[in-house]
Amino acid sequence: MIISDAYLIVTSPGRNFVTLKIVTESGVYGIGDATLNGRELSVVAYLEEHVLPTLIGRDASRIEDIWHYLYRGAYWRRGPVTMTAIAAVDVALWDIKAKVAGMPLYQLLGGKSRDRVMVYGHATGRDIEACLEEVARHVDEGYKAVRVQAGVPGIASIYGVAKKDGEPYEPADAELPAEHVWSTSKYLNHVPKLFAAVRERFGDDLHVLHDVHHRLTPIEAARLGKEVEPYHLFWLEDCVPAENQEAFGLIRQHTTTPLAVGEVFNSLYDAKALIENQWIDYIRATLTHAGGITHVRRIADLAGLYHVRTGFHGPTDLSPVCLGAAIHFDTWVPNFGIQEYMPHTSATDEVFPHDYRFEDGHFIVGEKPGHGVDIDEQLAKQYPYKRASLPVNRLEDGTLWHW
Ligand SMILES: O=C(O)[C@H](O)[C@@H](O)[C@H](O)[C@H](O)CO
Ligand SMILES: [Mg+2]
């Protein structure tokens, strides 16, 4: 299982994706996702200059050793670029190992803990009415859990709401960052009304989620958590920026609304205090940005000791390679909570043929050896990279805020 080649494929079938392919002397290959939204080419440079040349001639079966070679061996630890690069190598190597073993990846991890993986979809609308229509569409399509984000009166553009009702939401929508204007008070006054309307129309059984996208302070998050308690959210996500993990201790004292965090985390150390103090309920760090299967497995195991469950990040800016590998992980991990699912465009699905399938609000893992996702390199060439940036947010007085 000697590595003979390793190269990147950058393609943009609707949005940018970076994919690593590692090939062994026997011809067996594996692929890993290396997409860091809005910062794609920094990971390309990191891999091409510092990682890929060191892989040639190594034994692909030594996943653990290669992980530490890339982590400890870099001297400069952690960070999204490094950890995304390591993750791409790691997932590609697990893909190779499972293919060589002739097993779907979940078997190598320990086998199935469940038959299917519950997902949540995204309902978005300009106002509450439009948003409720989108929730209804998701319910009709079989979803058991729906994230609900609506426009707020007085805020012109807001995270999570598509420009036109019924269109999928894509945040990296401009070559250079768009500037949005944010008002915490308008938002806080509006969200409880949205969830009151959702429960009134859809009853108690549907799981409902909401993403604050890092824009509150701890005491504001505490207020929101308390005010939505009657509507029994499945989770309130990223309610404050999480560099200061202790902030979650304050929020926790005030509310029983379950808290999810971690899509921007890239290592266990970002979440250690959050988990050990039981300040959160769901950890969202996912394979592509947090060092791959080898590292996220450690995060999940620590989380399990403290009743924290997984709720992997799964937006369209993570490629089907990430989603496919995540579904294997979700099928195995004992402390699974939920998986995020934003459907990719059909052009993306054609570039990345895969064997997972969506059925009745759940993903069913595929049975092909490996993680079950491939890349059509010829087709990928038809979609050249296009620079695309995430927006920024400013308060109404012009202060740069969290988007
Ligand atoms: O919960 C989510 O799915 C996320 O918040 C995403 O929508 C991020 O904004 C995106 O991944 C940034 O690239
Ligand atoms: Mg989020």
Side-chain angles (χ1 to χ4, degrees):
M1 287 235 286
I2 298 301
I3 298 173
S4 55
D5 198 6
Y7 58 93
L8 292 168
I9 302 137
V10 180
T11 180
S12 192
R15 64 150 12 273
N16 294 320
F17 295 111
V18 179
T19 308
L20 170 64
K21 184 160 180 174
I22 298 182
V23 187
T24 61
E25 277 176 4
S26 65
V28 177
Y29 65 87
I31 61 174
D33 181 23
T35 309
L36 185 60
N37 197 15
R39 294 291 184 270
E40 294 87 355
L41 298 188
S42 56
V43 185
V44 170
Y46 190 102
L47 280 163
E48 285 184 343
E49 183 64 14
H50 307 294
V51 174
L52 303 188
T54 72
L55 294 179
I56 310 304
R58 276 178 204 282
D59 179 352
S61 69
R62 295 185 63 172
I63 299 177
E64 194 70 47
D65 180 68
I66 291 176
W67 197 94
H68 288 282
Y69 179 82
L70 297 176
Y71 183 82
R72 296 179 186 165
Y75 184 67
W76 309 107
R77 293 180 185 220
R78 303 157 59 193
V81 174
T82 299
M83 297 304 276
T84 300
I86 295 177
V89 174
D90 187 76
V91 171
L93 295 179
W94 277 98
D95 192 25
I96 291 173
K97 194 182 271 296
K99 283 178 177 168
V100 169
M103 289 180 184
L105 177 59
Y106 72 80
Q107 291 290 12
L108 285 194
L109 295 172
K112 282 189 180 181
S113 296
R114 57 197 54 78
D115 302 321
R116 55 188 196 156
V117 165
M118 184 169 74
V119 304
Y120 70 91
H122 289 195
T124 135
R126 245 172 323 126
D127 53 24
I128 293 181
E129 266 320 295
C131 187
L132 295 185
E133 288 314 306
E134 276 295 288
V135 177
R137 180 176 68 79
H138 280 82
V139 170
D140 289 347
E141 288 175 10
Y143 284 87
K144 312 294 177 232
V146 183
R147 191 188 87 163
V148 184
Q149 310 284 140
V152 173
I155 301 185
S157 345
I158 184 167
Y159 165 78
V161 178
K163 284 188 176 149
K164 277 199 193 145
D165 286 339
E167 274 187 1
Y169 171 66
E170 172 51 67
D173 61 353
E175 195 181 340
L176 295 175
E179 301 224 351
H180 295 176
V181 178
W182 173 250
S183 161
T184 297
S185 58
K186 289 179 180 128
Y187 169 78
L188 281 178
N189 291 335
H190 193 251
V191 176
K193 293 178 196 151
L194 170 65
F195 282 93
V198 169
R199 281 292 177 226
E200 159 112 16
R201 174 148 169 201
F202 297 96
D204 291 333
D205 284 347
L206 183 67
H207 297 302
V208 292
L209 302 83
H210 183 71
D211 189 351
V212 181
H213 221 254
H214 325 266
R215 291 166 301 195
L216 299 178
T217 66
I219 201 67
E220 290 162 354
R223 167 183 154 189
L224 181 61
K226 273 172 86 159
E227 290 188 2
V228 297
E229 270 172 25
Y231 313 118
H232 298 151
L233 267 60
F234 186 96
W235 80 34
L236 190 65
E237 173 182 336
D238 284 341
C239 54
V240 295
E243 287 94 331
N244 176 3
Q245 298 183 39
E246 285 164 17
F248 279 80
L250 185 146
I251 303 163
R252 196 61 148 179
Q253 286 167 24
H254 289 282
T255 180
T256 56
T257 296
L259 303 173
V261 65
E263 66 182 42
V264 302
F265 292 176
N266 51 71
S267 90
L268 177 55
Y269 302 100
D270 295 323
K272 189 168 174 285
L274 290 170
I275 293 171
E276 288 174 346
N277 289 295
Q278 304 187 141
W279 287 330
I280 58 168
D281 301 281
Y282 296 93
I283 179 74
R284 287 177 49 68
T286 193
L287 308 178
T288 294
H289 298 145
I293 290 164
T294 298
H295 191 66
V296 173
R297 189 162 63 164
R298 301 213 155 95
I299 301 178
D301 281 343
L302 179 71
L305 299 181
Y306 296 94
H307 306 276
V308 175
R309 291 185 280 166
T310 63
F312 282 172
H313 193 204
T316 36
D317 49 86
L318 291 165
S319 90
V321 180
C322 177
L323 184 59
I327 293 167
H328 282 266
F329 195 101
D330 295 337
T331 299
W332 156 71
V333 70
N335 47 322
F336 171 74
I338 200 163
Q339 168 70 50
E340 181 178 15
Y341 175 41
M342 275 175 89
H344 290 107
T345 61
S346 52
T348 298
D349 281 336
E350 280 162 24
V351 171
F352 296 96
H354 51 261
D355 70 347
Y356 55 79
R357 63 178 209 279
F358 175 80
E359 205 177 277
D360 192 31
H362 295 74
F363 271 123
I364 317 288
V365 75
E367 293 297 330
K368 277 197 186 140
H371 57 46
V373 187
D374 209 338
I375 182 162
D376 180 333
E377 293 180 56
Q378 286 315 314
L379 195 55
K381 286 192 184 129
Q382 291 178 18
Y383 302 103
Y385 168 81
K386 278 196 225 121
R387 186 198 292 158
S389 302
L390 292 170
V392 299
N393 239 355
R394 289 187 186 276
L395 300 181
E396 288 164 304
D397 69 358
T399 308
L400 196 86
W401 198 241
H402 316 284
W403 169 73

PDB file of all heavy atoms in Angstrom, residues 147 159 211 213 237-238 263 284 313 340, ligand 2:
ATOM      1  N   ARG A 147     -34.291  22.993  10.303  1.00  0.00           N
ATOM      2  CA  ARG A 147     -33.734  24.244  10.822  1.00  0.00           C
ATOM      3  C   ARG A 147     -34.551  25.394  10.252  1.00  0.00           C
ATOM      4  O   ARG A 147     -34.834  25.407   9.048  1.00  0.00           O
ATOM      5  CB  ARG A 147     -32.266  24.366  10.386  1.00  0.00           C
ATOM      6  CG  ARG A 147     -31.537  25.472  11.080  1.00  0.00           C
ATOM      7  CD  ARG A 147     -30.168  25.695  10.488  1.00  0.00           C
ATOM      8  NE  ARG A 147     -30.223  26.607   9.365  1.00  0.00           N
ATOM      9  CZ  ARG A 147     -29.151  27.239   8.854  1.00  0.00           C
ATOM     10  NH1 ARG A 147     -27.948  26.999   9.362  1.00  0.00           N
ATOM     11  NH2 ARG A 147     -29.279  28.055   7.844  1.00  0.00           N
ATOM     12  N   TYR A 159     -28.004  36.160   7.542  1.00  0.00           N
ATOM     13  CA  TYR A 159     -27.504  34.797   7.385  1.00  0.00           C
ATOM     14  C   TYR A 159     -28.660  33.791   7.320  1.00  0.00           C
ATOM     15  O   TYR A 159     -29.596  33.863   8.113  1.00  0.00           O
ATOM     16  CB  TYR A 159     -26.582  34.399   8.562  1.00  0.00           C
ATOM     17  CG  TYR A 159     -26.389  32.918   8.547  1.00  0.00           C
ATOM     18  CD1 TYR A 159     -25.514  32.340   7.646  1.00  0.00           C
ATOM     19  CD2 TYR A 159     -27.188  32.082   9.322  1.00  0.00           C
ATOM     20  CE1 TYR A 159     -25.414  30.969   7.534  1.00  0.00           C
ATOM     21  CE2 TYR A 159     -27.097  30.716   9.222  1.00  0.00           C
ATOM     22  CZ  TYR A 159     -26.204  30.162   8.324  1.00  0.00           C
ATOM     23  OH  TYR A 159     -26.133  28.807   8.194  1.00  0.00           O
ATOM     24  N   ASP A 211     -30.135  28.468  13.986  1.00  0.00           N
ATOM     25  CA  ASP A 211     -28.712  28.846  13.967  1.00  0.00           C
ATOM     26  C   ASP A 211     -28.592  30.348  14.202  1.00  0.00           C
ATOM     27  O   ASP A 211     -29.025  31.144  13.368  1.00  0.00           O
ATOM     28  CB  ASP A 211     -28.119  28.463  12.598  1.00  0.00           C
ATOM     29  CG  ASP A 211     -26.603  28.609  12.548  1.00  0.00           C
ATOM     30  OD1 ASP A 211     -26.023  29.160  13.502  1.00  0.00           O
ATOM     31  OD2 ASP A 211     -26.010  28.156  11.549  1.00  0.00           O
ATOM     32  N   HIS A 213     -25.721  31.806  14.448  1.00  0.00           N
ATOM     33  CA  HIS A 213     -24.529  32.158  13.654  1.00  0.00           C
ATOM     34  C   HIS A 213     -23.645  33.180  14.382  1.00  0.00           C
ATOM     35  O   HIS A 213     -23.228  34.190  13.801  1.00  0.00           O
ATOM     36  CB  HIS A 213     -24.950  32.656  12.266  1.00  0.00           C
ATOM     37  CG  HIS A 213     -24.067  32.131  11.173  1.00  0.00           C
ATOM     38  ND1 HIS A 213     -23.140  32.904  10.536  1.00  0.00           N
ATOM     39  CD2 HIS A 213     -23.961  30.905  10.618  1.00  0.00           C
ATOM     40  CE1 HIS A 213     -22.503  32.191   9.636  1.00  0.00           C
ATOM     41  NE2 HIS A 213     -22.980  30.965   9.664  1.00  0.00           N
ATOM     42  N   GLU A 237     -28.084  26.918  17.865  1.00  0.00           N
ATOM     43  CA  GLU A 237     -26.709  26.694  17.380  1.00  0.00           C
ATOM     44  C   GLU A 237     -25.879  27.967  17.410  1.00  0.00           C
ATOM     45  O   GLU A 237     -26.383  29.055  17.077  1.00  0.00           O
ATOM     46  CB  GLU A 237     -26.829  26.181  15.938  1.00  0.00           C
ATOM     47  CG  GLU A 237     -25.516  26.039  15.211  1.00  0.00           C
ATOM     48  CD  GLU A 237     -25.750  25.562  13.779  1.00  0.00           C
ATOM     49  OE1 GLU A 237     -26.799  24.924  13.500  1.00  0.00           O
ATOM     50  OE2 GLU A 237     -24.898  25.838  12.927  1.00  0.00           O
ATOM     51  N   ASP A 238     -24.589  27.817  17.740  1.00  0.00           N
ATOM     52  CA  ASP A 238     -23.615  28.923  17.669  1.00  0.00           C
ATOM     53  C   ASP A 238     -24.205  30.229  18.193  1.00  0.00           C
ATOM     54  O   ASP A 238     -24.199  31.259  17.502  1.00  0.00           O
ATOM     55  CB  ASP A 238     -23.138  29.116  16.216  1.00  0.00           C
ATOM     56  CG  ASP A 238     -22.141  28.042  15.794  1.00  0.00           C
ATOM     57  OD1 ASP A 238     -21.548  27.397  16.674  1.00  0.00           O
ATOM     58  OD2 ASP A 238     -21.969  27.852  14.580  1.00  0.00           O
ATOM     59  N   GLU A 263     -18.996  24.255  14.469  1.00  0.00           N
ATOM     60  CA  GLU A 263     -18.714  24.083  13.037  1.00  0.00           C
ATOM     61  C   GLU A 263     -17.413  24.770  12.628  1.00  0.00           C
ATOM     62  O   GLU A 263     -16.816  24.387  11.631  1.00  0.00           O
ATOM     63  CB  GLU A 263     -19.887  24.582  12.188  1.00  0.00           C
ATOM     64  CG  GLU A 263     -20.114  26.069  12.268  1.00  0.00           C
ATOM     65  CD  GLU A 263     -21.304  26.529  11.451  1.00  0.00           C
ATOM     66  OE1 GLU A 263     -22.342  25.866  11.468  1.00  0.00           O
ATOM     67  OE2 GLU A 263     -21.176  27.585  10.794  1.00  0.00           O
ATOM     68  N   ARG A 284     -20.438  20.072  16.815  1.00  0.00           N
ATOM     69  CA  ARG A 284     -20.622  20.119  15.359  1.00  0.00           C
ATOM     70  C   ARG A 284     -19.332  20.008  14.556  1.00  0.00           C
ATOM     71  O   ARG A 284     -19.359  20.039  13.319  1.00  0.00           O
ATOM     72  CB  ARG A 284     -21.344  21.419  14.986  1.00  0.00           C
ATOM     73  CG  ARG A 284     -22.790  21.349  15.397  1.00  0.00           C
ATOM     74  CD  ARG A 284     -23.568  22.594  15.132  1.00  0.00           C
ATOM     75  NE  ARG A 284     -23.471  23.175  13.819  1.00  0.00           N
ATOM     76  CZ  ARG A 284     -23.945  22.645  12.694  1.00  0.00           C
ATOM     77  NH1 ARG A 284     -24.546  21.471  12.735  1.00  0.00           N
ATOM     78  NH2 ARG A 284     -23.820  23.277  11.543  1.00  0.00           N
ATOM     79  N   HIS A 313     -21.693  19.402  11.096  1.00  0.00           N
ATOM     80  CA  HIS A 313     -21.870  20.441  10.092  1.00  0.00           C
ATOM     81  C   HIS A 313     -22.023  19.773   8.719  1.00  0.00           C
ATOM     82  O   HIS A 313     -21.276  18.860   8.400  1.00  0.00           O
ATOM     83  CB  HIS A 313     -20.577  21.278  10.122  1.00  0.00           C
ATOM     84  CG  HIS A 313     -20.623  22.566   9.411  1.00  0.00           C
ATOM     85  ND1 HIS A 313     -19.478  23.172   8.949  1.00  0.00           N
ATOM     86  CD2 HIS A 313     -21.645  23.382   9.088  1.00  0.00           C
ATOM     87  CE1 HIS A 313     -19.799  24.319   8.376  1.00  0.00           C
ATOM     88  NE2 HIS A 313     -21.095  24.479   8.449  1.00  0.00           N
ATOM     89  N   GLU A 340     -26.524  17.457   9.698  1.00  0.00           N
ATOM     90  CA  GLU A 340     -27.052  18.542   8.858  1.00  0.00           C
ATOM     91  C   GLU A 340     -27.015  18.133   7.388  1.00  0.00           C
ATOM     92  O   GLU A 340     -26.076  17.472   6.937  1.00  0.00           O
ATOM     93  CB  GLU A 340     -26.198  19.806   9.051  1.00  0.00           C
ATOM     94  CG  GLU A 340     -26.684  21.000   8.243  1.00  0.00           C
ATOM     95  CD  GLU A 340     -25.844  22.259   8.482  1.00  0.00           C
ATOM     96  OE1 GLU A 340     -24.733  22.146   9.035  1.00  0.00           O
ATOM     97  OE2 GLU A 340     -26.320  23.339   8.100  1.00  0.00           O
TER      98      GLU A 340
HETATM   99 MG    MG B   2     -24.197  26.974  11.532  1.00  0.00          MG
END
